[in-house]
Amino acid sequence: STKSIGNLYNYNDCLAVYYDSDVVQIDENLERGEFGEIPQNPENLLCLDFIHTKDSSEYKFTVLAAHLKSGENEKGEIKRVKELRALLEKATTFDNPIILMDSNTCVQYTETIKRNFDNKDAAKNFVFVKELFESKGFKSTVAEDEVKNKAIKMRHAQGKQPKKFGELFFDTIDKILVLVDTTATSISLEDSVSSDLKLFPNEHADFIDILRTNVEMRKKLHDVCVEEKWGPDMSINKTEKFDEFVKNETTFNNFGSVKDVLMGLYPTEHMPSDHPPVVAKVTVKRFTGGSK
């Protein structure tokens, strides 16, 4: 390409939005200002307004890239909801808003948080991220139960954050949000584009899903990881204690080794991030009003 790389993306310290400058242009006349709990700068929000002209018609849409607070706990979800509420209230005033978001939450997080509530009545009144964006008229185009959308990763026991050793994730935490009346179709990048990309295989999905959600199995995996001092190279980690537990204490009687499953942990040679790509085709409405 002869195009300058500066015309292809806009970024800050944490986020980047790539675009085809032959097709769309950034509308630099709009000033977005502050977003409540999510400031325009520094790292956790990037907001860009685009214009696309076709057949004398003008199409405008706003792309918001966001990175919400992490933490599989009540405190983390409260912070995420507070951040997202400010973002959604602003986004509803934009033309064709599209939110690309590392939400740092998912169905499994919701279940864990509900399980850990001391007061069950408090759980009923607690607002989660999914409930919030749906109540504000948004939907996610990314299916949470699709294996290829899930980030599968685990904290080994040789790092510098011992409280996180043995943490396993098999969760769809990345979301593409659009308004409910917006036409959007999910796309499988692995199946539609020729590349070396290889995502976690479906053959291990049932086991890893139970491993992620079953409290007893997850604790045993954590304990073995810490006791055996697992490192980043799964091929040399000792898994015998956990394998015996699975064969003797679970319904997976013909189970081979957890090593065969965890060798697919992200990142890998063919999946260089611990977040798999999530993709959607979004059809925006023609711009008919004044600037918002």
Side-chain angles (χ1 to χ4, degrees):
S1 173
T2 59
K3 291 182 289 186
S4 167
I5 191 67
N7 291 332
L8 297 177
Y9 69 97
N10 194 293
Y11 66 96
N12 58 23
D13 290 342
C14 180
L15 302 162
V17 173
Y18 289 77
Y19 62 95
D20 188 339
S21 58
D22 285 340
V23 179
V24 296
Q25 295 81 43
I26 291 180
D27 185 352
E28 298 179 348
N29 295 321
L30 297 178
E31 295 292 338
R32 291 306 185 192
E34 298 295 320
F35 280 75
E37 285 297 311
I38 302 185
Q40 175 74 354
N41 291 301
E43 65 179 10
N44 50 7
L45 177 68
L46 190 60
C47 179
L48 298 171
D49 298 284
F50 289 98
I51 302 174
H52 171 58
T53 303
K54 181 180 180 182
D55 300 329
S56 300
S57 295
E58 192 172 78
Y59 296 81
K60 290 187 176 183
F61 59 98
T62 302
V63 173
L64 303 102
H67 186 191
L68 301 187
K69 169 72 175 175
S70 63
E72 190 179 356
N73 49 52
E74 180 183 351
K75 183 179 179 181
E77 191 76 356
I78 289 173
K79 179 65 174 176
R80 286 188 288 271
V81 166
K82 195 174 182 180
E83 291 176 334
L84 185 58
R85 190 186 303 277
L87 173 57
L88 293 177
E89 288 176 354
K90 196 79 172 180
T92 54
T93 69
F94 299 162
D95 299 308
N96 298 310
I98 303 170
I99 302 173
L100 315 175
M101 181 171 64
D102 178 351
S103 71
N104 266 314
T105 192
C106 59
V107 171
Q108 289 88 344
Y109 278 39
T110 298
E111 294 305 315
T112 297
I113 294 167
K114 286 182 178 179
R115 191 165 53 238
N116 292 336
F117 267 118
D118 294 327
N119 185 333
K120 297 304 178 184
D121 288 332
K124 295 178 182 178
N125 299 322
F126 191 84
V127 178
F128 292 91
V129 163
K130 186 174 187 290
E131 296 170 344
L132 175 64
F133 70 69
E134 289 180 344
S135 72
K136 295 294 184 181
F138 284 83
K139 63 182 178 181
S140 177
T141 68
V142 181
E144 290 223 14
D145 58 353
E146 174 58 54
V147 174
K148 293 180 180 181
N149 293 335
K150 294 178 181 284
I152 172 168
K153 55 185 179 178
M154 184 176 177
R155 303 273 188 173
H156 61 73
Q158 295 182 16
K160 296 181 179 180
Q161 296 177 293
K163 290 184 178 180
K164 296 185 177 182
F165 287 177
E167 286 186 351
L168 175 70
F169 299 91
F170 185 53
D171 310 312
T172 302
I173 60 176
D174 294 303
K175 295 174 174 54
I176 301 174
L177 303 185
V178 295
L179 292 171
V180 291
D181 60 350
T182 300
T183 301
T185 306
S186 181
I187 297 173
S188 172
L189 196 62
E190 184 182 34
D191 298 329
S192 59
V193 177
S194 178
S195 72
D196 293 330
L197 177 68
K198 291 183 180 179
L199 300 179
F200 191 76
N202 287 327
E203 62 183 290
H204 297 315
D206 290 342
F207 175 78
I208 199 72
D209 190 53
I210 292 177
L211 183 58
R212 170 66 176 87
T213 56
N214 183 283
V215 176
E216 186 180 8
M217 287 181 68
R218 196 177 181 193
K219 184 180 185 305
K220 184 64 176 180
L221 181 69
H222 166 273
D223 293 346
V224 172
C225 172
V226 174
E227 291 170 10
E228 298 290 352
K229 297 181 173 59
W230 284 6
D233 186 352
M234 194 63 219
S235 66
I236 61 175
N237 290 332
K238 296 180 179 179
T239 64
E240 290 81 3
K241 290 181 180 179
F242 184 77
D243 295 337
E244 286 300 313
F245 168 81
V246 173
K247 292 173 184 176
N248 297 327
E249 304 294 334
T250 75
T251 58
F252 292 91
N253 298 324
N254 297 321
F255 181 73
S257 173
V258 72
K259 185 175 294 190
D260 298 332
V261 179
L262 298 185
M263 286 294 290
L265 288 169
Y266 299 151
T268 67
E269 178 184 358
H270 298 290
M271 179 54 234
S273 169
D274 58 8
H275 289 238
V278 294
V279 186
K281 178 182 178 181
V282 178
T283 302
V284 301
K285 299 177 181 179
R286 184 171 65 87
F287 179 67
T288 56
S291 177
K292 293 184 180 181

